[in-house]
Amino acid sequence: MTSKQLNESVDYLIEKGFHKPEIGIVLGTGLGKLAGEIENPIEAFYNHIPYFPLATVEFHAGKLIFGELEGKKVVVMQGRFHLYEGYDLIDVTYPIRVMERLGIKKLLISNAAGAINLNFKKGEIMLIEDHINFQGGSPLAFKNVGEFGSRFTDMSNPYDSEMRTKLISIAKQENISLQQGVYVSVLGPQLETRAEYRMLKMLGADAVGMSTVPEVIVANHLNLPVVAISVLTDECDPENLQPVNIEEIIEIATTTEPKMIKLFRELIKGV
Ligand code: HPA
């Protein structure tokens, strides 16, 4: 990755009309509906953006959408790149660097995750307080990282305190039950064994998923305030584990999505 490549991606988008978005949003699996609510949308398919990772067949619909939400200019990623699809960590986080160069000042991330903390129920939302990177690599481990920011990026408070506080009070106001906890990212794409769920719990995780952490590391690298929420789609109880049902996971994501949209909309309104 070079600065020149990033600038070419950015120039393409500016040419299309992506003018000075204030907020970037990443929509997770089964959580794409907010994209349809953007006013005056301009779309750019990932496949058409210079130097964007080349999308897989099943992922041909991935796109960046620019427009307005709650009167703010936003850029939304409908569909993200996952490590488990065969991309590397630099690919996975490339769009974050592009959105930052487009001018975003805040980043909002969502994902679908499994509940490790058994006090949390599927269909609830968890605000990510902190994370454990369990994907076996870093999006900052490349030779010329110094051109883009500090190699030894501070991670003492990776999720923006101000936006977290706002989300907590929005949830209260809106009567949305919002859990808080630690998200652990794994490579996937296979789900966890019972022994792995036991281990993740012992390590201090409250939820597990296959994304988000690389994007958050890069946001911190760029000094870009970031906040992330997990839609809890399944309960990972090792003593009573049911075979995974991807249809059910997607269905829970879809039925929980309106709460996530409410939280994000109110947050956007207030920032
Ligand atoms: N494990 C990993 N990723 C997930 C899960 C899970 O149980 N549920 C949703 N995404």
Side-chain angles (χ1 to χ4, degrees):
M1 182 187 53
T2 65
S3 240
K4 191 164 168 284
Q5 289 173 340
L6 280 166
N7 288 342
E8 280 186 45
S9 304
V10 168
D11 288 346
Y12 171 87
L13 292 165
I14 291 175
E15 184 104 334
K16 286 210 89 169
F18 284 54
H19 278 294
K20 299 199 165 69
E22 300 154 79
I23 298 164
I25 304 171
V26 181
L27 298 176
T29 306
L31 302 170
K33 225 174 123 225
L34 184 60
E37 301 182 10
I38 296 167
E39 290 155 48
N40 306 315
I42 304 173
E43 297 182 350
F45 284 93
Y46 296 157
N47 286 7
H48 298 162
I49 306 172
Y51 299 109
F52 247 57
L54 225 44
T56 54
V57 176
E58 60 199 289
F59 195 37
H60 61 279
K63 57 192 173 192
L64 273 185
I65 307 162
F66 172 86
E68 282 139 47
L69 269 178
E70 303 293 346
K72 302 269 163 58
K73 289 204 260 181
V74 300
V75 56
V76 175
M77 281 185 78
Q78 189 175 24
R80 59 147 66 84
F81 299 94
H82 294 92
L83 211 50
Y84 66 69
E85 292 166 299
Y87 301 105
D88 65 31
L89 285 160
I90 294 176
D91 289 338
V92 164
T93 51
Y94 188 85
I96 306 299
R97 295 187 182 279
V98 169
M99 291 194 287
E100 192 265 341
R101 284 195 184 208
L102 276 171
I104 63 166
K105 301 287 180 259
K106 310 242 188 272
L107 180 64
L108 280 43
I109 299 182
S110 63
N111 63 46
I116 303 244
N117 184 330
L118 298 177
N119 296 319
F120 300 177
K121 298 292 166 222
K122 59 183 173 189
E124 281 189 319
I125 291 182
M126 185 187 94
L127 177 62
I128 303 181
E129 259 180 345
D130 203 350
H131 73 224
I132 298 170
N133 178 11
F134 221 57
Q135 290 187 310
S138 166
L140 306 184
F142 59 96
K143 284 183 184 150
N144 56 333
V145 68
E147 288 172 31
F148 303 93
S150 161
R151 185 183 296 276
F152 302 104
T153 295
D154 176 58
M155 294 295 285
S156 57
N157 188 23
Y159 296 85
D160 183 64
S161 303
E162 202 183 313
M163 285 195 284
R164 277 193 286 137
T165 305
K166 279 191 178 145
L167 280 170
I168 292 164
S169 69
I170 292 165
K172 250 189 217 128
Q173 254 167 44
E174 301 292 332
N175 237 340
I176 294 170
S177 145
L178 185 66
Q179 302 288 2
Q180 295 181 62
V182 173
Y183 175 91
V184 60
S185 65
V186 294
L187 172 58
Q190 75 284 352
L191 278 291
E192 288 68 40
T193 63
R194 288 167 293 158
E196 286 165 342
Y197 283 134
R198 271 184 218 112
M199 171 192 72
L200 294 172
K201 185 174 192 167
M202 277 166 47
L203 290 177
D206 296 294
V208 55
M210 304 173 192
S211 67
T212 302
V213 167
E215 290 110 314
V216 169
I217 292 172
V218 166
N220 277 268
H221 187 232
L222 297 168
N223 288 316
L224 176 65
V226 58
V227 78
I229 61 179
S230 291
V231 167
L232 302 174
T233 53
D234 53 308
E235 291 162 18
C236 310
D237 179 0
E239 312 318 323
N240 181 30
L241 193 61
Q242 306 304 313
V244 65
N245 180 339
I246 290 295
E247 285 76 33
E248 198 200 337
I249 285 184
I250 305 270
E251 191 194 315
I252 303 267
T254 306
T255 54
T256 311
E257 190 176 20
K259 290 193 274 188
M260 180 215 103
I261 291 179
K262 188 78 196 166
L263 290 172
F264 273 7
R265 272 188 171 277
E266 292 298 317
L267 181 64
I268 292 166
K269 214 187 268 180
V271 296

